[in-house]
Amino acid sequence: MRAKFLVESVTNHADGGNTVKMRPVHGSSEENKNFCKYTPSGNLEMYINNPNALTFFIPGQDYYIDFTAVLPCGDSL
């Protein structure tokens, strides 16, 4: 399953990590209208302490988020 989220904010912390806050996209394009139809609201907040990922998320940028179910033994569906 795929979702499309907008980065609302990135907060830098003194320990070197970041908090990234995201929400589902709204209908600014035909693609976004389609995503918004099925995920009209919500939020995602992550604390990231991976140096390679700290500069990846940019406020105002849209990102696809892919969800893959994991079976109890760790294998994906």
Side-chain angles (χ1 to χ4, degrees):
M1 179 180 299
R2 175 170 269 197
K4 190 174 179 185
F5 275 62
L6 168 75
V7 173
E8 289 191 311
S9 66
V10 176
T11 303
N12 301 311
H13 300 287
D15 66 1
N18 288 343
T19 298
V20 178
K21 292 185 180 182
M22 304 175 82
R23 64 160 175 80
V25 294
H26 291 156
S28 59
S29 70
E30 286 305 312
E31 181 182 66
N32 285 2
K33 286 178 187 175
N34 193 42
F35 276 100
C36 183
K37 180 172 142 182
Y38 296 107
T39 312
S41 66
N43 62 62
L44 172 66
E45 182 174 323
M46 300 181 290
Y47 177 82
I48 299 172
N49 200 25
N50 177 343
N52 295 323
L54 292 178
T55 59
F56 180 76
F57 294 100
I58 301 166
Q61 178 69 43
D62 293 343
Y63 292 83
Y64 293 115
I65 300 173
D66 294 311
F67 296 93
T68 303
V70 178
L71 299 175
C73 63
D75 294 327
S76 60
L77 293 175

